Amino acid sequence: MATLEIRDLHVSVEADNATKEILKGVDLTVKQGETHAIMGPNGSGKSTLAYSLAGHPKYTITSGSVTLDGEDVLEMTVDERARAGLFLAMQYPVEIPGVSVSNFLRTSATAVRGEAPKLRTWVKEVKETMAGLQMDPAFAERNVNEGFSGGEKKRHEILQLELLKPKVAILDETDSGLDVDALRIVSEGVNRVRETGEVGTLLITHYTRILRYIKPDFVHVFANGRIAESGGAELADKLENEGYEAYVKGGASA
Ligand SMILES: Nc1ncnc2c1ncn2[C@@H]1O[C@H](COP(=O)(O)OP(=O)(O)OP(=O)(O)O)[C@@H](O)[C@H]1O
Ligand SMILES: [Mg+2]
């Protein structure tokens, strides 16, 4: 079983010629097969955690460790992280002009699997996965994220997730901006991956809505750059009713 272990992670960014610490000691363990939800107020550092795990150059790790199966993730390049089995669906996916969805997916799969997928089976795999997400096949020929609606971008992220079969997937607000039907379709995609028991999922969200479809094993409250409380699925309902005030009091975005 693959395990992602985050220990006492501190992360800073350079902003306005000053160094600002955003993550202030994050501890989290995600095992293959588990689903964790992270909830927390705007600006608390949730996306920063996702970017730091993905290896975004803007974010400097000042201390702490991240390992996947005991391997040092922080030492890996972005490509090596993907090959090791880490997957990140970003809150704001970027456009890649001139690169079609179909080429992009095949290149990614080749990188992650270490060899190009056989064309015959690959085309079928992509078609079936797109059908499962109710995506128009014509999407395969469009440029990645160019002119995609918010919901289309999110479906494209889940398409990648289903095709790349990572060990640990970090989904940053995959539910934001989805209509009710799209939320269900995207959730079903995540659940298909989950049901294999071979992926650990870290779901960053603001809404308990998605957690009705994707039942988390653990819920974590993120506040002021660290996990302030952890519990089971019931914690999400408590947060929905009571908000985050109890967690941010006295220490709002220092
Ligand atoms: N590249 C950056 N430059 C400057 N400040 C940054 C940068 N990245 C993040 N921050 C700051 O770090 C804090 C945490 O941002 P982050 O995006 O991680 O929050 P979040 O918890 O994902 O919020 P939201 O719920 O709104 O998505 C914010 O105050 C943000 O302005
Ligand atoms: Mg965010």
Side-chain angles (χ1 to χ4, degrees):
M1 277 289 147
T3 305
L4 178 75
E5 278 197 58
I6 305 169
R7 288 289 163 269
D8 196 29
L9 190 68
H10 290 253
V11 172
S12 298
V13 290
E14 290 295 323
D16 309 323
N17 294 320
T19 306
K20 186 177 163 198
E21 182 169 63
I22 298 172
L23 298 188
K24 300 166 184 169
V26 177
D27 284 292
L28 182 65
T29 302
V30 180
K31 295 190 177 133
Q32 228 171 342
E34 292 178 350
T35 302
H36 295 247
I38 289 189
M39 308 184 78
N42 293 134
S44 54
K46 305 179 299 297
S47 294
T48 299
L49 174 64
Y51 281 124
S52 305
L53 296 175
H56 194 293
K58 269 240 142 148
Y59 301 88
T60 309
I61 317 289
T62 52
S63 65
S65 66
V66 179
T67 57
L68 181 62
D69 284 338
E71 300 278 321
D72 188 349
V73 170
L74 302 177
E75 285 287 304
M76 298 179 194
T77 63
V78 173
D79 280 12
E80 286 168 344
R81 290 176 203 219
R83 245 174 287 143
L86 266 184
F87 174 89
L88 171 71
M90 284 178 291
Q91 186 172 359
Y92 303 105
V94 291
E95 294 183 3
I96 316 181
V99 177
S100 71
V101 166
S102 130
N103 274 335
F104 175 75
L105 291 172
R106 192 141 195 276
T107 306
S108 311
T110 304
V112 169
R113 298 178 188 182
E115 59 176 3
K118 299 251 176 328
L119 205 53
R120 263 278 191 75
T121 48
W122 173 250
V123 169
K124 190 164 165 254
E125 207 181 328
V126 173
K127 264 197 189 145
E128 285 174 359
T129 313
M130 287 181 83
L133 291 166
Q134 299 188 22
M135 291 175 82
D136 184 334
F139 255 95
E141 299 321 315
R142 285 183 57 181
N143 290 338
V144 173
N145 288 322
E146 214 175 45
F148 285 19
S149 77
E152 289 164 351
K153 285 181 182 168
K154 300 292 170 177
R155 281 185 212 219
H156 177 241
E157 299 278 311
I158 301 307
L159 176 63
Q160 291 171 54
L161 171 69
E162 288 200 72
L163 290 169
L164 299 180
K165 303 182 178 68
K167 288 180 183 162
V168 176
I170 299 144
L171 308 178
D172 194 358
E173 298 203 19
T174 291
D175 52 344
S176 70
L178 294 180
D179 66 47
V180 283
D181 297 321
L183 180 69
R184 181 180 48 77
I185 291 161
V186 159
S187 301
E188 285 168 359
V190 174
N191 281 331
R192 276 193 292 275
V193 171
R194 237 187 116 186
E195 280 155 15
T196 63
E198 282 169 8
V199 58
T201 310
L202 191 58
L203 200 68
I204 299 172
T205 182
H206 281 293
Y207 308 103
T208 49
R209 234 173 28 146
I210 193 168
L211 303 181
R212 283 188 208 121
Y213 293 106
I214 307 169
K215 286 271 170 249
D217 302 303
F218 305 95
V219 172
H220 309 278
V221 186
F222 210 87
N224 300 322
R226 63 162 70 95
I227 289 171
E229 190 180 344
S230 298
E234 73 291 339
L235 181 54
D237 298 317
K238 182 183 158 216
L239 295 171
E240 181 125 301
N241 292 327
E242 299 174 11
Y244 299 115
E245 222 161 63
Y247 301 96
V248 295
K249 236 184 276 166
S253 62

